[in-house]
Amino acid sequence: MRPLLDRDYLRTRENLFFCVVGYEHPPGFAVAYPKYAPGPGPWKNGFTSFLRLLKEYSMEELEKALKLVNEKYVRWVREFDTYMSIVPLRDVFRHYKPEERLKRLLDTQPKDKLELKLKELTCELADSSSVKPEFLGVTGSVLIGIHGSHSDLDLVVYGFKNALSVKEYMKNPRGKIRRLGKNELTKLLERLSLRKKLPPNLLKPVVKRLWNRGYYGGTPFSIHPVKGWWEVGGVYGENRYKKVGVIRVKAKILSSPDGPVSYTHLTLPTN
């Protein structure tokens, strides 16, 4: 049985959908944020429609979303020294795994145009990057089966080396894949600047390096590197985090195999 991984989804007995965050989870719980809830919206599963609780990925939006769900989903987590959005595993009705959902879609006939595009996009990425399909997955609304014609395609690639291979291909993709154009990057920069409350010139180098977003046959898609289940290790609680306040620091990242929040080698100036 593989562990909980980043971008898995959990469905509670209240019919709420949560998206799993990261790989460190307290025993009996999953760190996850609320994404969808029953209500008027374009996401549907049979006769049940869903609304999106988290409109944007920001702390302000997360606080708003958490006010709409049961207070049991917010707890103080000692190891992180903060209140967190968290799901008791006893309340989970179903655990959705991106790689399993994608495999089922690849093995069956597409039910709609979005599933067909997903199948084509997956085959193109796998063939061109030499990453086996079993190391790819689909998350978001397609994972939980509530997508529609308006939905994006959100893929995951498992494993550090596999992510690097897909990234290399995305530098110069072929076929129906199109990277974001200059105007689209400019609009994205403006949105991020407003959302993060940071000046555009500070975010511009980050947006310029963006490789994991684009369009496939006119449909927006994203690719998210996730640790492979074989790469997840350690024991919960061996790493503890303590809030010490806000500081401004200039540093050089020498190694970051686990992503932008966990640095293996980081050099700080002495002055």
Side-chain angles (χ1 to χ4, degrees):
M1 181 178 178
R2 79 156 175 75
L4 286 167
L5 296 178
D6 195 44
R7 297 186 183 275
D8 286 359
Y9 268 68
L10 304 174
R11 186 176 190 170
T12 70
R13 302 185 190 283
E14 301 162 297
N15 221 13
L16 300 173
F17 287 102
F18 284 77
C19 181
V20 175
V21 178
Y23 315 94
E24 296 183 70
H25 306 279
F29 296 88
V31 178
Y33 62 84
K35 187 69 178 286
Y36 299 101
W43 298 274
K44 299 182 185 295
N45 184 350
F47 296 104
T48 305
S49 62
F50 293 85
L51 57 85
R52 184 170 173 168
L53 294 173
L54 199 68
K55 304 298 189 297
E56 292 181 345
Y57 296 105
S58 67
M59 291 306 299
E60 291 81 5
E61 285 297 319
L62 177 59
E63 288 176 357
K64 292 178 184 178
L66 289 173
K67 290 178 181 178
L68 301 175
V69 299
N70 194 299
E71 62 182 13
K72 68 182 176 182
Y73 296 119
V74 181
R75 290 175 179 247
W76 176 266
V77 180
R78 182 182 59 180
E79 290 78 6
F80 289 94
D81 194 30
T82 188
Y83 285 97
M84 299 190 74
S85 174
I86 200 166
V87 179
L89 294 182
R90 65 175 180 272
D91 293 330
V92 173
F93 176 72
R94 184 175 175 183
H95 176 196
Y96 295 81
K97 303 174 185 178
E99 74 280 10
E100 292 183 357
R101 170 66 164 154
L102 182 60
K103 185 180 186 305
R104 288 196 300 271
L105 289 172
L106 293 177
D107 291 343
T108 57
Q109 283 292 110
K111 296 179 181 178
D112 51 53
K113 291 182 179 179
L114 192 71
E115 289 187 5
L116 176 60
K117 286 184 178 181
L118 173 62
K119 198 168 187 176
E120 292 175 346
L121 175 58
T122 300
C123 291
E124 182 170 337
L125 287 173
D127 292 342
S128 301
S129 67
S130 299
V131 173
K132 295 180 180 179
E134 54 260 41
F135 298 124
L136 299 172
V138 61
T139 187
S141 60
V142 179
L143 169 60
I144 55 180
I146 63 172
H147 62 281
S149 58
H150 64 284
S151 299
D152 298 348
L153 293 172
D154 301 305
L155 284 82
V156 298
V157 53
Y158 293 104
F160 182 66
K161 291 182 179 179
N162 292 329
L164 290 180
S165 296
V166 173
K167 179 182 179 181
E168 186 63 29
Y169 172 67
M170 284 297 296
K171 290 179 180 179
N172 187 29
R174 298 176 293 277
K176 295 182 181 179
I177 294 179
R178 178 176 70 81
R179 296 188 61 178
L180 297 183
K182 185 176 180 180
N183 290 338
E184 291 157 338
L185 288 172
T186 299
K187 291 179 180 178
L188 176 62
L189 177 61
E190 292 172 352
R191 291 199 304 271
L192 286 175
S193 179
L194 288 173
R195 187 189 307 169
K196 305 295 184 182
K197 298 179 176 61
L198 293 170
N201 64 312
L202 191 64
L203 292 169
K204 194 171 183 178
V206 178
V207 172
K208 190 176 180 180
R209 293 196 301 268
L210 193 68
W211 63 269
N212 65 328
R213 293 180 64 172
Y215 287 85
Y216 185 82
T219 297
F221 76 89
S222 59
I223 305 171
H224 305 277
V226 173
K227 272 188 177 184
W229 44 93
W230 63 93
E231 296 174 326
V232 178
V235 178
Y236 179 79
E238 66 180 1
N239 294 321
R240 293 199 174 190
Y241 308 88
K242 182 71 177 177
K243 288 187 291 186
V244 294
V246 179
I247 63 171
R248 186 171 184 173
V249 63
K250 185 176 181 180
K252 183 177 182 180
I253 301 169
L254 300 180
S255 178
S256 180
D258 292 337
V261 295
S262 179
Y263 304 120
T264 302
H265 296 96
L266 183 69
T267 60
L268 299 175
T270 55
N271 56 343

